[in-house]
Amino acid sequence: MENVETIDIARLEEAVVVFYRSNSQDQAITHEWLTKAEASPQAWQFAWQLMQLGKSQEVQFFGAITLHSKLMKYWHEVPPENREELKQKILETIVQFAAGPKLVLNRLCLSLSAYIVHMLEEWPCAIDEVIETFQSQRMPNVSADAQLWIMLEVLMGIPEEAQVIHTSVKRVTLRGEIGKRVPLVLQTIETFLKQQMGNEWDSEAYSNMTRAVKCVNVWIRNIGYCIEGCVSICAVLLEVVKKCYWPCIRSGVGCMSADENELAETCLSAMVSIIVQPDCHNYPKTAAVLIKMFLDSLCDITQVEWKRDNDNEDIIVHIYMLFVAAVERHSGLFLSGITTTDPELSAIWSRMVHEILQCTDKPGIYPVEESCSTMALAFWYMLQGDVFAMPDEQKHKCWEHIKPLYAHLTTVLVRKSEQPDESSIDKWNSDDLECFRCYRQDISDTFMYCYDVLGDYILEILAAMLDEAIVELQAHPTHWTKLEACIYSFQSVAEHFGGEESRQIPKLMRVLSEIPYEKLNVKLLGTALETIGSYCSWLMDNPSYIPPAIDLLLRGLNSTMSAQATLGLKELCRDCQMQLKPYAEPLLDACQATLVTGRMKNSDSVRLMFSIGKLMSLLPPEQIPKYLDIIVSPCFEELQSICQAGTTTPAARIRTIFRLNMISTLFSSLNTDLDDELKDAHNVQPVLLVMEKTMPIFRRIAEVWVEEIDVLEAACSALKHAIVNLRSSFKPMLQDLCYFIVASFQTRCCAPTLDISKTAIVIFFWEENCKPMMQQLLLEFIQHSFKLFENTPQQNFSNISDTMEMFFSCLTQIVKKVPQVLEDKTIAYDRLIYYAQRAMLLPENGPIRASTQFVTQFVMQSRNHEHMTEVMLASGEQIIQTAMICVGYMTPRQQVEKFADVFLSINKKYPAEMAVWLKNVMSVPNFPTELISEAEKLRYVSLIIKIKVNKRLLQQHLGELAVKTRGLVAIQSPVN
């Protein structure tokens, strides 16, 4: 690539055309070169040459963005004596491009904006002069519309450029200086908008007015202005909204044009920016005036548009957005309307609550037939939260006041949670359905807030609506959506009600068992099944309702709602296991029959195994082998057949993982020791019977699928579930498990095998007769990991980062929970520390976290054992050096704070040595980088040594040190 300094203008133009007209690979190469060209001092000259008349639009545009970039980032290259000339050239070029292309003109206007921001100190009346120049139309040969467009673009650019330009002036000072011009800008735009109110609006007028209102929004959002000064501009914006809306309604057209919509929405967005400014709560009287103005001007519009599938939904969305924003920002003022004696404030409360309730209750189903109601849900959370945060006396008064409101809201939410029926579902796409699912979840959360306000009374409201829904279904057998919504509402509040509720929940259970599901939409069955699952803790105390619940769940197993049925059955078996004893056999038979059909998804079959395990645990010991043979044997037979074939196809992999997941889930729930007091010492756990027969299959799986980490994960997960579930009952199989683990290590040392080793060691090391075996397992765990690390070139450690992470994570857990393991002097502790340092130096977050936690734990335990103390005294300085390399430049900056624990632990256990080690490490010239001075290094050494306890402060110091050593300190972040 040629040197940028020597490039001629023709070469540059050619590169620009290549960039805009070529494929992505050529673009990438050209982009890099053009960026260098843009950054060169020569760019101040060629920017103007590229914008000469007759050049292609791409070339002119590149000239304009180059000029803008230079003004943003390289202002220091402009000598003070050349600044006036630069201004004149910008203005002349703006005139030259006044008729277009707009793309180029926009960049030139932003260039003038950037120039003005830089020159505010030397040219304090710049904004006044720009407004005067364009308002008085002093630009020769430029149309009035073009001059207005240019003025608005320049004004709009000033606050935005102030946020991004590179300047030595503090952002807060810059904003303060620009803030002095806000009244002038608002007055200018207000005058312009008022002038337009008496005119007919064509597309040019709409465009100019929209730009003018955007300008208001940009200045308020980026600079801000006291809301006392915004009342008159808000009044004008409201008039503009009304003029956009009412003529098309009164003329019978009914639907706003795109121009009317855009202008009205822009006005409403600007008013949102005004009413939510950070300090506006300091002006409650003005806020009340503005909110009243909003209500007076906009409520008539919301009333007309309160219908489904309306053509003007966009403006309604923005009106409600304004209402909700105003209330959330001024919640204190708003809530005072409940208890106030001021009739105006009371009226604002009543009117605004009515509007937000109407927003929540917008006719139609969200998001296809309406798009407003979701905005209001956050308000109901805020309202009850603010009321409950009040002092007691005021709280009780407000609480009583809002109870009827939340009772009404409950009925609204039931209606809004209705699903689309068969006649309307065709209009819905997958995105709509997902959006509705999330919306229903938000409604479910809002039911919880209704419960917080209403308590048990919410059940009476829902029960009354349930009665209405049943009556409607009897009269209109296809109207299932209301009943489904009522059941969903009951499900949403289930967690609040225990077994003592004896009026409405029994009624719900009877209804669920009596609905003729086969005649109705299957979604109704799905919701009923989920609801059964939600009320399992109630069923535990009311077992007479369990048989109908079982009947319903079994019906669901053989339907398209098997996912909901398996979830419900899982909840029932977990919460009501002992109550299910009389039904265990028929339930197992039903589960087996369902599995045999093969109709369920893999995930549902896996989940069903949890229930099978819980139910099998209830059987008399002599009956369990029969069900193991029927249900579990097919899993192992298929696994054996796949292993014997030795085929590792994608299909075989999927089936292997599926069968292992089924076994894993069964092992997690099958445990016949249900009662410790009645534990039978001679009772052999069924899981052990299975494992005795199948351990060779697990070993074979580890050999066949050695390269497939997810298969190994599934196999180890099954064994881990067995250990965690059975704990001491697992001991008879412990030796077999160790053989499996060691055989797996010899084939491949990987994360799943390390994890299961850790589980076994943590559980069984404490048992005296298991201790020697666990000590040997720990040595195998460490030695095979070392072998992997030794056989991997250090530059490739990232390829085994998941294994390194798991190794040190497991080791940390072992050391924490079984510190006695550290008494073993045969462990190569120096190598553990060495490889922990290698893990620290990796770029991945996982190994960094795991290795720093291990080193911290090691240091904290090391003073208890002489052999570990020796390792620390020999390795301490190296650990400090590695940690400093990581903090200084090696580790991603977001991870630097993790090293605080390492420094704190060493400082706690080895304070004298720490001071020497840290000084030695930091005294090396240009360490960790040459970007930090020796004086700064000494300061940080002193700060780090002083901190013995305050982790947060140490993290802060390390973060600052990382910024300095990486040369990031000079980058100034915007001050807001």
Side-chain angles (χ1 to χ4, degrees), residues 673-889:
D673 292 336
L674 299 175
D675 191 331
D676 285 340
E677 291 178 18
L678 301 175
K679 199 182 252 190
D680 183 352
H682 303 291
N683 176 23
V684 178
Q685 283 281 2
V687 169
L688 297 185
L689 295 174
V690 174
M691 288 190 66
E692 281 170 4
K693 293 179 184 174
T694 59
M695 209 64 195
I697 298 175
F698 278 100
R699 284 204 285 272
R700 184 71 183 123
I701 287 168
E703 292 165 11
V704 171
W705 296 98
V706 64
E707 296 303 325
E708 296 288 344
I709 201 79
D710 48 357
V711 177
L712 297 176
E713 240 164 38
C716 289
S717 172
L719 298 172
K720 184 177 175 179
H721 275 126
I723 299 168
V724 172
N725 183 23
L726 301 182
R727 301 190 78 84
S728 61
S729 300
F730 186 83
K731 273 196 287 187
M733 282 303 296
L734 195 55
Q735 189 149 19
D736 285 317
L737 176 73
C738 290
Y739 287 147
F740 166 79
I741 290 171
V742 172
S744 301
F745 276 146
Q746 287 167 349
T747 314
R748 180 185 181 186
C749 177
C750 59
T753 330
L754 293 170
D755 189 34
I756 193 174
S757 304
K758 179 262 295 181
T759 304
I761 292 166
V762 166
I763 290 175
F764 294 107
F765 197 94
W766 295 101
E767 304 212 15
E768 204 55 43
N769 55 348
C770 300
K771 189 174 178 179
M773 199 190 310
M774 293 301 97
Q775 285 174 320
Q776 185 57 40
L777 181 60
L778 178 61
L779 288 175
E780 297 281 351
F781 172 95
I782 293 171
Q783 284 166 8
H784 285 286
S785 299
F786 281 171
K787 195 178 291 183
L788 173 68
F789 302 159
E790 286 162 6
N791 294 335
T792 307
Q794 286 198 16
Q795 65 270 24
N796 295 345
F797 269 9
S798 279
N799 297 342
I800 57 164
S801 62
D802 58 336
T803 308
M804 292 193 90
E805 177 188 355
M806 183 60 79
F807 175 72
F808 284 111
S809 175
C810 290
L811 213 46
T812 305
Q813 291 294 310
I814 292 168
V815 170
K816 263 186 187 176
K817 294 180 179 177
V818 197
Q820 287 87 336
V821 299
L822 299 171
E823 294 168 4
D824 186 345
K825 296 179 183 179
T826 62
I827 295 172
Y829 295 103
D830 54 341
R831 291 174 74 197
L832 287 176
I833 291 296
Y834 171 77
Y835 285 120
Q837 291 176 77
R838 302 284 70 74
M840 283 183 192
L841 292 165
L842 293 178
E844 292 81 11
N845 297 346
I848 295 170
R849 182 184 60 251
S851 58
T852 52
Q853 286 174 350
F854 169 71
V855 169
T856 302
Q857 198 63 34
F858 184 93
V859 173
M860 295 303 286
Q861 299 273 5
S862 64
R863 284 294 190 188
N864 302 330
H865 306 282
E866 190 180 335
H867 54 277
M868 289 176 66
T869 306
E870 288 171 8
V871 171
M872 269 308 300
L873 292 172
S875 309
E877 188 168 322
Q878 184 62 51
I879 295 171
I880 297 279
Q881 184 185 38
T882 305
M884 272 301 172
I885 288 170
C886 294
V887 170
Y889 61 90

Side-chain angles (χ1 to χ4, degrees), residues 351-370:
R351 292 175 69 190
M352 191 58 94
V353 161
H354 172 75
E355 284 299 318
I356 294 177
L357 198 56
Q358 289 291 90
C359 173
T360 316
D361 197 19
K362 182 83 160 51
I365 305 176
Y366 178 88
V368 171
E369 296 167 353
E370 62 92 5

Side-chain angles (χ1 to χ4, degrees), residues 571-589:
E571 300 283 338
L572 188 68
C573 291
R574 189 182 62 199
D575 291 351
C576 309
Q577 184 181 14
M578 300 314 294
Q579 288 81 356
L580 291 176
K581 197 163 189 174
Y583 318 106
E585 278 197 69
L587 264 172
L588 278 169
D589 292 336

Side-chain angles (χ1 to χ4, degrees), residues 53 157 172 178 220 285 348 388 512 628:
L53 295 175
V172 68
I178 295 171
I220 294 294
K285 287 183 180 175
I348 287 175
F388 290 139
L512 292 179
L628 284 175

